[in-house]
Amino acid sequence: MRGFALAVAAAIAAAPVAQAQVTEEMLLNDTASTGDVLTNGMGRHLQRYSPLDTLNRDNVQNLVPAWAFSLGGEKQRGQETQPLVHEGVMYITGSYSRLFAIDVKTGREIWQYDARLPEGILPCCDVVNRGAAIFGDNVYFGTLDARIVALNKDTGDVVWNKRIADYRAGYSYTAAPLIVNGLVVTGNSGGEFGIVGEVQARDAETGDLVWTRPVIEGHMGTLNGEESTMTGTLNATWPGDMWKTGGGATWLGGSYDADTDTLVFGTGNPAPWNSHLRNAGQPVDDNAGDNLYAASRLGIDPANGEIKWHFQTTPREGWDYDGVNEVVAYTDREGNDRFATADRNGFFYVLNREDGAFVNAYPFVKDISWAEGIDENGRPIFVEDNRPGDPAEAADGNRGEVVFSSPSFLGGKNWMPMAHSPDTGLFYVPSNEWGMDIWNEPITYKQGAAYLGSGFTIKPNYEDHIGSLKAIDPDTGEVVWEHQNPAPLWGGVMTTAGGLVFTGTPEGEFIAFDDMTGEVLWSFQTGSGIVGQPITWEQDGEQYVSVISGWGGAVPLWGGEVASAVNYLNQGGLLWTFRLPQQLAAN
C-alpha cells in the first residue's frame, strides 16, 4: 500500500453519517445544486459560477469567519486546491499529495490520507495539488509520483491505486481528475523533462484503463488494452525522432461539454523549449513546423479517446507558452455556444463549441511582443525578431541571441482559473503583466533530466503592479474593469448571482468585488498568500464561502526578479470558511 489514512477519534465521533453515492446526473447538475460542490470548476464546464444570491453586493460586508482548518505539519508549500463539498463533508487536497475529509459544520478532521512519496520525484513547479474528484462511494486524487488513487469517501480507505506514468522519467501529476460517465479522466505533468503528454480514462470502480490518448503526433493510442489509432500523422509536423520526447504535458486537466459530449484538454509546451531544434529547415510560413499537438486545445471523444478536433494557440512555440489553460463552455449574448480560453501567450480566444473552430481572439495583457496579433485563421502573426536566437548561429555555439519577450513564460495567465458570469456575460481573468529575457542553448535528451534548451529571467513590466484581475467582454475583447495588484495573481476566481467576484492575492487578502464595476466590497487577511480556488455553497439556509491560503507554486521557484521581489511572503496551509449569518443576510 502506497499511503495511509489517519483517523482522528474525536472527529470521527462528530462526523456526519455515510453519504449517498454521487451519480453522473449529480455531476451534470452540479452548478444548479447549491448545497454541494461536486466538481472542479463548480460544474464541468468550468464557469466557476454559483446561482446563489443570498450573499450579494448589499450584504457581503457581513461575511464572517465560521471556522479555519490547518493542514498542519511542516508541509506548508503552495496550496492550490479547490474544495469539494458533499452532504456535510468537505474534501481538500494539500501539498505533498495529501487529502483531507472535514466536517463542514465544525471544521473538524474526519480522516486524512498521506501518499507515501518515493525519493527522487521530479515536480516542475512546487509540490502542489489542485483538487480531487468524487463519484459513487469514492473520492479520487493524483499524486506527485504520477499515480491516481481512489479512496472510500467515508473512511479514507484505499480502494485502488494505479500508476499514470513513471515518475523516474520525469512524470508527475497535480491536477484534479475529471469524472465523465463512470470514467476517471486524467492528464499528466512533466513537460520540462521531455515526457509525452497523454490523456487516460479509467473505470471509476476498478481503476482499469479503458483508453489512452497521447497528444503528440506519432504515438499510438489504446482502447480496451489494444492499440487503437495513431495521434496525427508521423513526422507531419515534427522532424526526425523528436516526437518521441515531444512534451505536450496535459498537466492542468480538462473540462467536459455535455452538450457536444466532448472532453476538452489543453496541451503544454513542446520539448525542448529551443524551437530551432524542433523546426530545423522548416520555413516560418510552413505548417510543417507546428509540432502538433503541443500548445493546443483538443476535443476528445470520452467513449474511445479519439481526437475530434484541435486548435493550436501557439504553433512553432518557442517561449514556453503552454496551451493547457482551461477551456470554459458558455453561451454568448446572441445564443451561440462557445468556448473561451485565456492563453498563456497573452491572447483570449473564442472558439465554436461544436468543432473547436476559431471565432475570434483579443489580447488581454499589454505589451505582447512575440506576435503582432492573430490572423483570420487563428494563427499568430509572429514577430520573428522576438524569437530567441539559434545557438548554432552564435559565435561560441553556447547561447543564441537574447531577446526580451512579453508575456513571460509564466504567461499572461497561467494555471489559475478564470470565472464566467452568465448574468453579466463577462469573464473575470486573473492575469499578470511581466516579461522575460530569454535565450536558447544546446540540449540533448536524457531521461529524468530537465530538457529545456533555454535560459530566462522574468522581469515586471511595470513598477506599480504585476497582477491584474480583468473583467473581459468575450464579444468585443473590451476590458470592462481592472483591479491591479503589486504581486502576481496566482489564485482562482469565482463569481456568483449575487453580483460578486471572489479571488485572493499573494499578500493574503481574500477579496469580494462588484462584478459590474470592480469595486472592492469586502476583504479578509488570511495570513498567507492565496493561490487556491474559492467555492460557495448553502447549508441550513445560510451561504458559505471557502478558500485555502498557503503561498507557493511556480512564482517563488521560477520568478526571477519577481521572485526576489516577493520573497517576504510567508508560507502557510490554512483553509478558511466564511458564512453570512441569517440575521445579517437582509442588511
Side-chain angles (χ1 to χ4, degrees):
M1 185 178 296
R2 297 182 60 86
F4 58 95
L6 303 177
V8 180
I12 290 176
V17 297
Q19 314 144 277
Q21 289 190 337
V22 174
T23 66
E24 171 66 21
E25 183 179 6
M26 293 165 68
L27 299 179
L28 183 65
N29 296 314
D30 188 32
T31 298
S33 178
T34 54
D36 285 344
V37 178
L38 300 176
T39 60
N40 181 266
M42 299 169 60
R44 291 178 298 190
H45 48 42
L46 304 189
Q47 289 185 9
R48 299 182 181 275
Y49 167 83
S50 171
L52 285 170
D53 60 3
T54 303
L55 180 67
N56 55 53
R57 298 183 187 96
D58 297 327
N59 59 29
V60 67
Q61 73 275 7
N62 297 324
L63 194 63
V64 295
W67 49 262
F69 176 84
S70 174
L71 274 65
E74 299 177 355
K75 300 176 179 179
Q76 304 294 352
R77 298 280 285 276
Q79 309 296 345
E80 295 185 354
T81 190
Q82 183 215 284
L84 301 177
V85 175
H86 177 48
E87 294 189 349
V89 178
M90 178 180 290
Y91 301 93
I92 64 167
T93 58
S95 54
Y96 290 99
S97 305
R98 295 174 290 166
L99 195 149
F100 302 81
I102 303 164
D103 185 336
V104 296
K105 290 186 177 180
T106 64
R108 291 183 178 179
E109 180 178 302
I110 300 170
W111 55 258
Q112 174 182 342
Y113 175 88
D114 285 23
R116 287 197 176 107
L117 297 173
E119 296 292 331
I121 57 172
L122 297 167
C124 149
C125 306
D126 205 1
V127 289
V128 301
N129 191 287
R130 300 187 175 96
I134 188 170
F135 181 71
D137 285 322
N138 295 337
V139 59
Y140 307 83
F141 85 120
T143 65
L144 287 167
D145 57 339
R147 304 187 72 88
I148 177 76
V149 183
L151 305 173
N152 181 279
K153 62 181 172 51
D154 301 318
T155 66
D157 293 336
V158 176
V159 177
W160 52 258
N161 185 327
K162 303 289 185 179
R163 190 178 85 161
I164 295 172
D166 184 359
Y167 74 90
R168 291 165 296 188
Y171 288 90
S172 56
Y173 189 64
T174 56
L178 175 65
I179 309 291
V180 175
N181 297 327
L183 298 176
V184 182
V185 186
T186 57
N188 60 24
S189 304
E192 278 59 60
F193 294 93
I195 59 89
V196 173
E198 187 171 79
V199 181
Q200 299 180 352
R202 285 181 165 78
D203 183 289
E205 290 189 9
T206 65
D208 294 339
L209 270 175
V210 175
W211 55 258
T212 64
R213 174 51 54 192
V215 301
I216 298 298
E217 71 176 31
H219 293 272
M220 189 67 67
T222 65
L223 178 62
N224 297 322
E226 304 289 338
E227 288 189 349
S228 56
T229 58
M230 180 181 289
T231 299
T233 302
L234 181 62
N235 289 135
T237 66
W238 285 83
D241 288 341
M242 296 205 73
W243 58 276
K244 293 182 179 180
T245 52
T250 49
W251 58 267
L252 195 52
S255 60
Y256 175 63
D257 179 27
D259 292 337
T260 62
D261 190 28
T262 303
L263 300 170
V264 186
F265 270 72
T267 65
N269 57 282
W273 290 16
N274 184 343
S275 62
H276 299 280
L277 292 176
R278 293 182 279 101
N279 300 315
Q282 301 292 344
V284 171
D285 58 355
D286 187 341
N287 294 3
D290 285 355
N291 304 140
L292 293 173
Y293 293 103
S296 299
R297 306 310 197 276
L298 304 181
I300 298 174
D301 188 329
N304 55 27
E306 294 297 319
I307 295 175
K308 294 182 173 184
W309 52 260
H310 81 276
F311 178 77
Q312 190 172 42
T313 47
T314 316
R316 304 180 64 86
E317 198 281 309
W319 303 266
D320 191 35
Y321 293 153
D322 285 19
V324 299
N325 286 2
E326 74 282 3
V327 178
V328 180
Y330 75 106
T331 302
D332 71 13
R333 295 182 178 93
E334 296 182 356
N336 299 305
D337 290 334
R338 302 299 195 204
F339 287 129
T341 185
D343 198 83
R344 201 145 138 177
N345 68 20
F347 289 94
F348 185 99
Y349 294 83
V350 178
L351 308 178
N352 179 40
R353 256 164 73 189
E354 187 64 33
D355 56 7
F358 175 73
V359 175
N360 218 328
Y362 318 98
F364 69 91
V365 293
K366 309 177 186 74
D367 306 317
I368 295 174
S369 67
W370 67 277
E372 296 177 0
I374 306 297
D375 70 17
E376 67 276 8
N377 298 313
R379 290 182 67 87
I381 305 168
F382 289 108
V383 178
E384 283 300 323
D385 287 344
N386 263 94
R387 182 178 295 277
D390 187 350
E393 298 178 357
D396 60 4
N398 290 323
R399 176 186 284 197
E401 180 184 1
V402 180
V403 299
F404 180 79
S405 295
S406 182
S408 79
F409 76 89
L410 289 179
K413 188 180 89 66
N414 201 277
W415 81 275
M416 56 279 193
M418 63 185 182
H420 171 67
S421 170
D423 302 323
T424 65
L426 302 177
F427 280 83
Y428 302 93
V429 182
S431 68
N432 290 304
E433 305 283 356
W434 47 17
M436 62 180 171
D437 288 333
I438 183 170
W439 59 92
N440 286 325
E441 302 167 344
I443 188 72
T444 56
Y445 174 75
K446 180 181 179 182
Q447 180 174 301
Y451 189 46
L452 300 184
S454 290
F456 45 81
T457 301
I458 293 180
K459 302 178 178 181
N461 286 356
Y462 300 96
E463 292 184 358
D464 61 344
H465 76 284
I466 299 172
S468 169
L469 178 65
K470 296 181 172 77
I472 295 177
D473 187 328
D475 296 335
T476 65
E478 176 191 3
V479 176
V480 176
W481 57 259
E482 175 184 10
H483 179 84
Q484 297 177 352
N485 192 72
L489 295 181
W490 209 254
V493 181
M494 174 184 69
T495 186
T496 77
L500 302 172
V501 176
F502 286 88
T503 196
T505 72
E507 294 90 344
E509 294 292 333
F510 187 41
I511 306 174
F513 301 88
D514 185 308
D515 64 0
M516 292 296 294
T517 67
E519 178 187 357
V520 174
L521 302 177
W522 172 89
S523 67
F524 182 87
Q525 174 53 242
T526 65
S528 181
I530 296 174
V531 294
Q533 308 165 62
I535 62 165
T536 188
W537 76 99
E538 62 181 352
Q539 176 182 302
D540 300 329
E542 295 182 334
Q543 188 169 347
Y544 286 73
V545 178
S546 282
V547 72
I548 197 163
S549 173
W551 172 238
V555 174
L557 299 176
W558 294 84
E561 293 182 12
V562 172
S564 299
V566 296
N567 62 8
Y568 66 92
L569 297 172
N570 292 321
Q571 291 182 327
L574 202 63
L575 176 74
W576 287 94
T577 294
F578 306 87
R579 60 186 276 265
L580 178 67
Q582 283 183 332
Q583 63 270 27
L584 299 178
N587 293 353

